[in-house]
Amino acid sequence: MKISDGIQQSFKNYIQSLGGKSIESYDKKGGFIAIGFDLNIHGQTVPLSVKYIDQKRWLSLPTVSVAQCNLPALDHVGNNGLICVTDHQGEMFDSADLFGLFKYAVDTAISILTNALESYSAGNRKALYEEIDGYNQTVVSDDPIVIATHNPNQSDSLYAWCINLTKQRNTPQCHHIKYLVDGASQHPPSSNPYTAIKVTKIILPRIENFVIPNLFTSFDEHWWEQQTLNFSTQQLDSLNKKSKFKIVLLEIPTPKMRTYLVISYYQDMASNKYRNFKIQTLQRGWREYLLNRTGMESQFSSKKPVVIAGCGSVGSRVAEILAESDVDKLILVDYDDMKTDNIMRHYLGIQDVNQSKVSALKNRLQQNIPELEVVVYKTNILNWLNSQNDEQLSEMHSIVLATGHPPTELEVCRRYILTRRMSKLYLVG
């Protein structure tokens, strides 16, 4: 069911009442309609476009965008011109009140643009600085995001794990960057097909040193040349000391947190031109950040390791849950290999059949959480306990018994709990 001509006309009449000029509507792909018009906002003419679906009920608000023009980066406006009206409305509205929703979207967009242009004229960029991470993502929205498995701010040695896409010898190198890891990490995401390349980290002292692209402009070679003008002599020297193919992590201090851009390019020394220039944003994937996102409070008073005895259907799930908590180290103990009979109940899958459970489980856990330290022992829990002295056992936070074998678990209790050699032991399964 399509929108009636009368409602369509009411949209245009409302825009005209606001002082809109050059009003025209046109159909867009996918059953959408757009109305374009010019509007005077804070003393300048701004081309706008309102897009909405051609239906009698709307399940989402119309989108309002600045059309292609010469404007600086503005608060609550993406680099592509999209104005963030939905951030100010919520999800509850009358889906049949088309005029009310249209009016709300347009009024909110005009209010956002008015405030943003006033702030820009006054030299106040605080609101933009607070959301610069989101703005940067709209600039490079078509490029894949680099995943950081370690906090770049806490590392002096960073490496990018890349896939080499260079097709011929003696041609400029081209790499697809997938992960950013700490150089001291013993747990890279994978060994193949990745190649490790050293990263140059450049920290801007103030966010004012960051060159923000205008609306509808991109992070390109010209932007990089402008940005390097704000680098110190030492930072410029660090760029020149590296190989022809460069990967740079640019750290930008914002009022709320640090945000990052990953810049990669091949520099032709003869012509001093850039080849295969690419900018990517960084997705935060380190444990501390992810745990903070959950609001989870620490369940452990210390950073001692947790031992999981038995890595079957129950023990593997316990390992998964603990890995997603704030446990830094797991010790996995199990003598058995993965079998097809285990698949339907186990955290592991058919690809892990005929591998030792502890080794396969370690690989799976560290694929998801590279910062997690996992130590494995392919033996039974009694043999492992016998190999540990009292001092080593005192370093354990607790033991989770998930062997599924009551005689073994009772013997562990008799030897190590009743004699007080271990203080915490949990029976599961």
Side-chain angles (χ1 to χ4, degrees), residues 195-396:
T195 300
I197 299 178
K198 187 78 168 65
V199 174
T200 301
K201 183 168 70 172
I202 293 182
I203 303 173
L204 297 179
R206 301 180 307 133
I207 192 171
E208 288 80 6
N209 296 115
F210 178 56
V211 178
I212 305 175
N214 291 340
L215 295 186
F216 309 106
T217 62
S218 63
F219 291 121
D220 54 17
E221 295 91 332
H222 175 71
W223 168 84
W224 182 238
E225 290 172 353
Q226 295 297 310
Q227 183 62 71
T228 57
L229 296 177
N230 292 336
F231 292 168
S232 67
T233 302
Q234 184 179 3
Q235 289 171 334
L236 291 173
D237 289 342
S238 68
L239 285 178
N240 295 329
K241 288 179 181 178
K242 303 301 175 183
S243 61
K244 294 179 181 178
F245 182 75
K246 297 178 172 62
I247 300 177
V248 181
L249 180 71
L250 184 64
E251 181 177 301
I252 307 159
T254 72
K256 293 182 178 180
M257 64 174 71
R258 294 176 178 86
T259 187
Y260 300 91
L261 289 175
V262 179
I263 302 100
S264 59
Y265 56 91
Y266 177 89
Q267 189 165 9
D268 189 327
M269 296 303 180
S271 63
N272 203 32
K273 291 183 178 179
Y274 302 123
R275 306 284 181 86
N276 300 325
F277 188 90
K278 181 185 290 186
I279 302 284
Q280 296 168 265
T281 54
L282 196 71
Q283 186 164 318
R284 301 168 181 86
W286 55 91
R287 296 188 74 209
E288 180 184 6
Y289 173 80
L290 297 177
L291 286 170
N292 287 338
R293 291 277 295 174
T294 67
M296 181 186 300
E297 294 184 1
S298 176
Q299 301 297 312
F300 291 83
S301 58
S302 69
K303 295 300 182 182
K304 293 181 178 181
V306 175
V307 181
I308 299 178
C311 296
S313 57
V314 176
S316 65
R317 297 294 179 182
V318 172
E320 176 193 13
I321 293 168
L322 289 175
E324 293 173 353
S325 71
D326 57 350
V327 175
D328 286 338
K329 181 177 180 180
L330 292 176
I331 296 176
L332 307 180
V333 183
D334 196 308
Y335 63 89
D336 204 5
D337 292 337
M338 187 71 180
K339 302 292 192 301
T340 53
D341 292 347
N342 307 136
I343 290 172
M344 295 304 294
R345 299 170 296 151
H346 209 281
Y347 177 54
L348 300 175
I350 195 168
Q351 70 276 9
D352 303 304
V353 168
N354 295 328
Q355 298 183 50
S356 70
K357 289 180 179 178
V358 289
S359 296
L361 186 54
K362 173 184 177 178
N363 291 337
R364 176 69 68 86
L365 293 172
Q366 289 183 336
Q367 281 179 358
N368 295 335
I369 308 173
E371 287 179 283
L372 178 68
E373 184 178 356
V374 183
V375 180
V376 300
Y377 294 90
K378 190 178 181 182
T379 185
N380 66 52
I381 185 61
L382 289 173
N383 287 341
W384 181 80
L385 286 168
N386 288 335
S387 71
Q388 306 293 303
N389 59 39
D390 288 349
E391 183 180 353
Q392 289 172 318
L393 289 176
S394 68
E395 292 299 317
M396 307 301 159

Side-chain angles (χ1 to χ4, degrees), residues 5-75:
D5 292 339
I7 293 178
Q8 294 268 37
Q9 187 60 47
S10 71
F11 295 164
K12 295 181 180 180
N13 292 342
Y14 183 67
I15 292 172
Q16 193 171 25
S17 72
L18 296 173
K21 307 292 184 183
S22 304
I23 303 170
E24 58 179 339
S25 63
Y26 46 93
D27 294 337
K28 296 180 73 73
K29 292 181 180 179
F32 285 87
I33 296 175
I35 298 179
F37 59 98
D38 294 337
L39 192 67
N40 186 287
I41 301 177
H42 194 62
Q44 64 183 95
T45 301
V46 179
L48 296 173
S49 174
V50 186
K51 186 176 79 170
Y52 50 90
I53 193 164
D54 189 11
Q55 293 179 357
K56 289 193 173 183
R57 285 186 176 272
W58 289 345
L59 300 182
S60 58
L61 286 173
T63 60
V64 186
S65 302
V66 177
Q68 185 82 35
C69 63
N70 184 22
L71 280 177
L74 297 171
D75 317 342

Side-chain angles (χ1 to χ4, degrees), residues 6 12 15 54 104 132 155 174 271 334 359 409-410 415 417:
K12 295 181 180 180
I15 292 172
D54 189 11
Y104 172 84
I132 198 65
S155 175
C174 180
S271 63
D334 196 308
S359 296
E409 294 172 348
L410 288 172
R415 292 190 195 182
I417 296 298

